[in-house]
Amino acid sequence: MASPSENTQSGLMAKAVKEGIFAGAIAFGMFLLYVGIETYQDIDNRLVWRTRWGLLAIFVLVAAVGRFLTVGFIKPHIDRRKLAKAKSGVLEISEDKGFFHKHFLKIALIALLLYPIGSVMLFGPQGSLKYVDNFGIQILIYVMLAWGLNIVVGLAGLLDLGYVAFYAVGAYSYALLSANFGLSFWILLPLAGILAAMWGIILGFPVLRLRGDYLAIVTLAFGEIIRLVLINWTDVTQGTFGISGIAKASVFGIWSFDVGSPNYFPRAMGLATSSAWYKIFLFYVILALCLVTAYVTIRLRRMPIGRAWEALREDEIACRSLGINTVATKLTAFATGAMFGGFAGSFFATRQGFVSPESFVFLESAVILAIVVLGGMGSLTGIAIAAVVMVGGTELLREMEFLKLIFGPDFTPELYRMLLFGLAMIIVMLFKPRGFVGSREPTAFLRERKAVSGSFTKEGHG
Amino acid sequence: MAGETLLKVQGVETYYGNIRALAGVDVEVNKGEIVSLIGANGAGKSTLMMTICGSPQARSGQVIFDGEDITKLPTHLIARKRIAQSPEGRRIFPRMTVLENLQMGANLDNLKYFKEDVEKIFVLFPRLKERQSQRGGTLSGGEQQMLSIGRALMARPKLLLLDEPSLGLAPLIVKGIFEAIRKLNQEEGLTVFLVEQNAFAALKLSDRAYVMVNGKVTMSGSGKELLANPEVRAAYLEGGRH
Ligand SMILES: Nc1ncnc2c1ncn2[C@@H]1O[C@H](COP(=O)(O)OP(=O)(O)OP(=O)(O)O)[C@@H](O)[C@H]1O
Ligand SMILES: [Mg+2]
């Protein structure tokens, strides 16, 4: 079988060129209409079109060159490295992880706690807003939502495409109850969670017998129903106008963040008047909520109900014959997941000060689900990484002013958000088909928790 | 210890939609017995096993376990009466480790006996001990079968139902598994009801056996009697001896 190496080398190059041209042709076909031609309205409000051959050429070139490099250089390189590793007998997971690896969670937690302080020190209160609010809080909200959905999808294996409904229930619960009854955030937060959990059970009942694609479609419809109710029940929800002027969260009822209030928090602390302090406070609130979610998830996985969720994902029939009540198991999964969605929703409402049905469209469900899948269903760490990459990445796009120099002044990077989102997903799924952290952490051990040898727990691709 | 009836299936009819899979089945299993059920593909053997467990439920007739009518009980409550099953196709949890699979078989609300029971199963199937932290899905077929039986045993069952424990396994492994069943029966007094295609091995192991054809029991007797029966030999044994 061994052929001369220069022979395979030239064969490889020929193949790389061929595949590169092929990829270019496909990209040309795909983007010809989307990118090559643009429609716009002229001064007389007529719809006319113009061509963008330059941009199209860039797309085609990127695809062709990318494919060429992948086939010709990157893939052989990776294969060679894998081969060398296999030859030297090093296991994929080595026993002695680096310091960073071992203490990753502690380091991450400390970094998160110091993050707002660091950004205030570096950029001043006003300058820190962007980092604390746009990046910090935004990402943490998605971490929390994805961790909540993870209970339903990642642990219990119930594909839920309408998760945003519970987010909406939480947000509107807070908005309406605080506006109509003047209740505080700290009372309404648990209440919003409970209300969302109730809706989780209400959704759970009719879909108990459904699985997989059927379940996905019904949950999708449920998400849309909630949104349409919010739009059309104008007496209560004010429809598409949304509800504004939602009360801010207080510091446990002791200090407030309303400038007019006598116990205005920054004044009490002797800080300059700035909206940044409120955002920093909110950052710690959502961080705490995330930690609660993680803690509860980790605890539940070691309790009968959590084990039952995971067993349900693996094999429902086996579960039943082992004496597991699958009805109760599914309902608790829906309810628990929904509850965290509700928490996140009421937090979202107090952070924005405004809610409208537009925040709860299907795309949100899809993004949250994508984060769960990318992270590796079930893995909290993986999901957090995925949230940072996906949400942080899209926020970063807004910052990329320099792209205008390349693509012209009309280029708005945010519009390519979804394109990049999809691209990132494809790339991750190609190289890590089980998500960032694809292996499941076992929860049962005999005697003390010993380090499980890596070669056994590493799963094959399936 | 033998003699007392543990499981009594009386005139049971089970339907899949409009198709009648069981057409009035009568089967009895006494305490401390190994009873086997043999029959051609599609005879309704697995259906009977599943009907005992309540999924699907019998449309008519009765399933009585330990003197109690369990015909209309939901599956998970039947399992809590300590009827454990190693279902057709084993159905272990592929992404869970061997130990986690065993834990799923135990009473999750009370893991007091967990360690003790796991040790017992590791004595019975030493292979599982070696592989306790391996994922179920990566086990070999024989190991999966051991795990499936082990998982069922974790419930400390009064009655163990086994659906084709020898399916797809090499003769030597089958021998080992049947040996383990015999040991459980003799040393622990465990009552076993098993379905088998491997009629020769099953009849040799069993105290009594039933033959099922098209959803009906057509013959029954002691294992020895059926082994000697010319009809049984012609239909299930000739050419199929292991
Ligand atoms: N879920 C189902 N829906 C409809 N028909 C079914 C279903 N399960 C089994 N059947 C039918 O019921 C009959 C009995 O099936 P069963 O699985 O009990 O046979 P079996 O004796 O276990 O066969 P084998 O030895 O092949 O496992 C078959 O005709 C089968 O096609
Ligand atoms: Mg069968």
Side-chain angles (χ1 to χ4, degrees), chain B residues 16 19 21 39-48 88 163-164 197:
Chain B
Y16 292 110
I19 303 162
N41 292 119
K45 307 182 296 296
S46 301
T47 305
L48 178 58
E88 186 167 34
D163 197 339
E164 299 205 34
Q197 288 289 345

Side-chain angles (χ1 to χ4, degrees), chain A residues 307 314 434 440 443, chain B residues 80 91 95 100 103 135:
Chain A
R307 294 185 199 285
E314 311 253 303
R434 284 176 177 278
R440 200 186 140 267
T443 60
Chain B
R80 284 182 203 171
R91 294 199 171 269
R95 268 162 61 95
E100 285 175 302
Q103 196 172 45
R135 310 270 166 184

Side-chain angles (χ1 to χ4, degrees), chain A residues 181-205:
Chain A
F181 301 102
L183 296 173
S184 89
F185 175 73
W186 296 105
I187 292 171
L188 288 178
L189 179 72
L191 203 61
I194 291 168
L195 283 172
M198 253 175 50
W199 279 102
I201 293 174
I202 290 171
L203 166 67
F205 264 112

Side-chain angles (χ1 to χ4, degrees), chain B residues 24-45:
Chain B
V25 173
D26 299 296
V27 165
E28 255 179 61
V29 179
N30 298 323
K31 272 188 187 147
E33 271 187 327
I34 299 182
V35 176
S36 61
L37 176 65
I38 59 176
N41 292 119
K45 307 182 296 296

